[in-house]
Amino acid sequence: QVQLVESGGGSVQAGGSLRLSCAASGFAAYGFYCMAWLRQVPGKEREGVAASGSNGGTVYVDAVKGRFAISRDNAKNALYLQMNSLKPEDTGMYYCAAVRAWCGGSWSRPSFYNYWGQGTQVTVSS
């Protein structure tokens, strides 16, 4: 059974850092999956934050470039998101998501993914 479990969320002040982790289980050939972090705030659509492809490539939404870093450990079936210089607008529920495909141009769309974690809350205060 495929499962994604996020951890590492919390409350920090603006300028602080957090590191999110996603533990994946039940995947066959985890390395072939596009893995991503998406976030959602109440009243808004879920949006892509960053993705890590099977070829090692990474992609980010413009708002987090230079501040966030996505990484993966295929040996551990794990995905990470290092978030630095956090801003109040980074507040939201962060979800780990997966799809067995190239990340491509659809990486930021929630409909692209077919596996989801339960989410971990990140709150950044000013």
Side-chain angles (χ1 to χ4, degrees):
Q1 182 178 357
V2 169
Q3 191 173 19
L4 297 171
V5 179
E6 302 96 334
S7 61
S11 297
V12 296
Q13 289 192 326
S17 298
L18 284 173
R19 187 183 191 228
L20 306 184
S21 298
C22 173
S25 59
F27 285 81
Y30 172 81
F32 287 101
Y33 283 76
C34 173
M35 300 296 300
W37 291 98
L38 296 90
R39 67 185 175 194
Q40 188 168 24
V41 297
K44 290 190 175 182
E45 293 186 356
R46 199 168 294 189
E47 63 173 357
V49 175
S52 172
S54 58
N55 61 352
T58 58
V59 62
Y60 300 89
V61 67
D62 285 347
V64 308
K65 285 181 180 177
R67 300 188 297 120
F68 290 12
I70 189 171
S71 61
R72 64 194 291 169
D73 186 337
N74 290 340
K76 296 182 178 179
N77 284 11
L79 182 73
Y80 308 100
L81 185 67
Q82 178 66 44
M83 305 187 293
N84 299 325
S85 302
L86 282 161
K87 303 176 180 180
E89 51 264 43
D90 294 320
T91 293
M93 184 70 78
Y94 283 70
Y95 296 90
C96 176
V99 61
R100 184 165 178 152
W102 292 104
C103 288
S106 298
W107 75 270
S108 62
R109 300 177 183 172
S111 60
F112 181 60
Y113 301 93
N114 47 20
Y115 299 110
W116 291 88
Q118 296 282 56
T120 185
Q121 177 68 35
V122 171
T123 303
V124 185
S125 58
S126 57

